[in-house]
Amino acid sequence: MLIVPSILNADNLRLAEGISQAVKAGIRRFHIDIMDGHFVSNLSYGPQLVSDFKKEFPKIEAEVHLMSNNLDVMIPAFVEAGCDLLEFHYEAATPDQVGKWLTYLKEHNVKAGLALNPDTDLEVLNDYADRLDQLLLMTVFPGFGGQKFIPESPARIAAARYLLSVACPKHVPLEVDGGINGDTAGLAKNAGAEIFVAGSYIFGKGSIAGQVNRLNELLEE
Ligand code: DX5
Ligand code: ZN
């Protein structure tokens, strides 16, 4: 089980401090939400944040969750900035673009992920499963931190887990993102999730290390 904090709701003016606290508690990867004000109605960071992150924390993985349909500009920019993983939205791409960008990421030694909105047909996995290093299943509609975990998500996680195992012989790790907290992490885990993005649970409730430890304990149960 891997906890990947989303920095979206962290204190931007104390970001390095917050990240360091999570690293001290054992975190080895952070989730960086990129929102373009178009694919989702919110704006967040640009590539500079990713290169600053890698300069400050070279051994820690930067996972970019790209919420933009401007793939031609955004994907090369974030790869250039040094991200270790990049997951873009299936809904933001045409079918031939999905294949093209998965290949591009592989060629640039960046782990490739596909993100699916809560209402996207899981059958699309049949076409891409064997090319994914990771699948990101959204458990809220993307755009904002602090939303409520969609209650139908566990059934969807289980269905995706099954589809992946049938579609592809290699194991594809399944990540969940949105509304993950002390109540929902266990539900997602029992349904087959292995990577847990948590934003407001980790950065919005007092001690960052305390929240990481709490979630870790819960996921170990
Ligand atoms: C939503 C983002 C999530 C979000 C997670 O669009 O992709 O990563 O910031 O935040 P919480 O954990 O607060 O839902
Ligand atoms: Zn995200």
Side-chain angles (χ1 to χ4, degrees), residues 79-91:
V79 165
E80 178 72 15
C83 68
D84 300 285
L85 298 93
L86 189 146
E87 28 208 21
F88 61 92
H89 271 265
Y90 171 79
E91 303 82 12

Side-chain angles (χ1 to χ4, degrees), residues 54-55 91 129 138 152 154 159 178 180-181 190 200-201 203 214:
K54 289 305 294 184
K55 222 178 286 158
E91 303 82 12
M138 293 307 298
E152 291 76 21
I180 298 297
N181 58 34
N190 292 340
S200 46
Y201 183 76
F203 284 108
R214 212 156 290 148

Side-chain angles (χ1 to χ4, degrees), residues 6 8-9 31 33-44 65-68 89 117-118 138-147 177-178:
S6 157
L8 188 64
N9 281 74
H31 182 90
D33 286 303
I34 306 300
M35 303 177 171
D36 69 347
H38 182 64
F39 180 70
V40 292
S41 62
N42 196 2
L43 277 172
S44 59
H65 174 196
L66 184 62
M67 285 161 272
S68 169
H89 271 265
N117 276 346
M138 293 307 298
T139 43
V140 300
F141 281 91
F144 296 89
Q147 301 184 71
D177 181 13

Side-chain angles (χ1 to χ4, degrees), residues 12 27 46 66 96 118 136 192:
N12 279 319
I27 294 298
L66 184 62
D96 55 310
L136 171 56

Side-chain angles (χ1 to χ4, degrees), residues 126-187:
N126 289 324
D127 295 331
Y128 305 107
D130 56 342
R131 307 178 61 183
L132 301 182
D133 294 309
Q134 185 168 301
L135 171 69
L136 171 56
L137 273 192
M138 293 307 298
T139 43
V140 300
F141 281 91
F144 296 89
Q147 301 184 71
K148 232 174 131 293
F149 181 83
I150 296 175
E152 291 76 21
S153 298
R156 198 168 150 79
I157 295 164
R161 181 77 276 155
Y162 175 74
L163 265 172
L164 286 176
S165 65
V166 172
C168 153
K170 85 167 184 196
H171 180 77
V172 180
L174 199 160
E175 177 178 53
V176 284
D177 181 13
I180 298 297
N181 58 34
D183 299 323
T184 58
L187 300 174

Side-chain angles (χ1 to χ4, degrees), residues 194-212:
E194 300 148 282
I195 307 175
F196 302 82
V197 175
S200 46
Y201 183 76
I202 288 178
F203 284 108
K205 290 186 164 57
S207 160
I208 291 166
Q211 288 301 97
V212 169

